[in-house]
Amino acid sequence: MFIQIEPSSDIPIYTQLANQLIELIARRELTGGDALPSVRSLAADLSMNMHTVNKAYHALEKKGIIEIVPKSGAIINSPVQDGIRSSHLERILEELKPILAEAIVLGMGKEDLVALASSIIEDIKGE
């Protein structure tokens, strides 16, 4: 599991960690049922505070991506087989809409946005 944190980034470290774990899951380098390293272990490996790792894990739990089992650790949830849950779709829409609006304001057209989204998906899936 390769994770690279940029300490000088404007993005909070716990968000960088959560985003990179999501990308590893999307790339299928981590899959449903896999256990994430313990908070203490990952914090030591990444030379970061345990509270930062804990905050990232709880952010992933809130999104329904992992389950934190007391005294057992964090387990990646299996992907939903019959499509996205409406609650997840609503959250993604809520998070994506301002980004798309910003892109439009900054001059991107629908075709540019679709091409960008396709490029990102291909990169994640390694196509």
Side-chain angles (χ1 to χ4, degrees):
M1 179 166 57
F2 180 73
I3 294 174
Q4 185 171 4
I5 300 298
E6 296 292 334
S8 61
S9 172
D10 291 337
I11 300 170
I13 291 173
Y14 84 91
T15 302
Q16 291 182 52
L17 176 57
N19 288 344
Q20 290 188 42
L21 288 170
I22 290 170
E23 192 166 326
L24 288 169
I25 295 167
R27 291 179 188 274
R28 298 179 191 257
E29 292 178 31
L30 298 171
T31 59
D34 285 350
L36 291 176
S38 71
V39 169
R40 182 181 305 270
S41 169
L42 190 55
D45 288 349
L46 298 175
S47 300
M48 66 174 50
N49 189 306
M50 289 190 327
H51 297 295
T52 303
V53 175
N54 197 38
K55 191 170 182 178
Y57 280 12
H58 281 284
L60 293 173
E61 182 182 41
K62 187 175 177 182
K63 291 181 176 184
I65 295 171
I66 67 170
E67 180 179 359
I68 297 174
V69 181
K71 298 183 181 179
S72 294
I75 309 294
I76 298 169
N77 287 330
S78 296
V80 177
Q81 298 299 319
D82 56 351
I84 190 168
R85 294 184 188 143
S86 63
S87 61
H88 293 166
L89 183 60
E90 288 174 23
R91 180 183 49 77
I92 289 170
L93 175 64
E94 194 173 289
E95 292 176 4
L96 190 57
K97 192 172 183 178
I99 293 170
L100 293 176
E102 181 181 343
I104 292 167
V105 167
L106 294 175
M108 289 186 77
K110 181 178 178 180
E111 294 78 23
D112 297 330
L113 289 167
V114 170
L116 180 62
S118 293
S119 171
I120 292 169
I121 292 168
E122 289 171 3
D123 178 57
I124 289 172
K125 291 188 169 186
E127 297 172 348

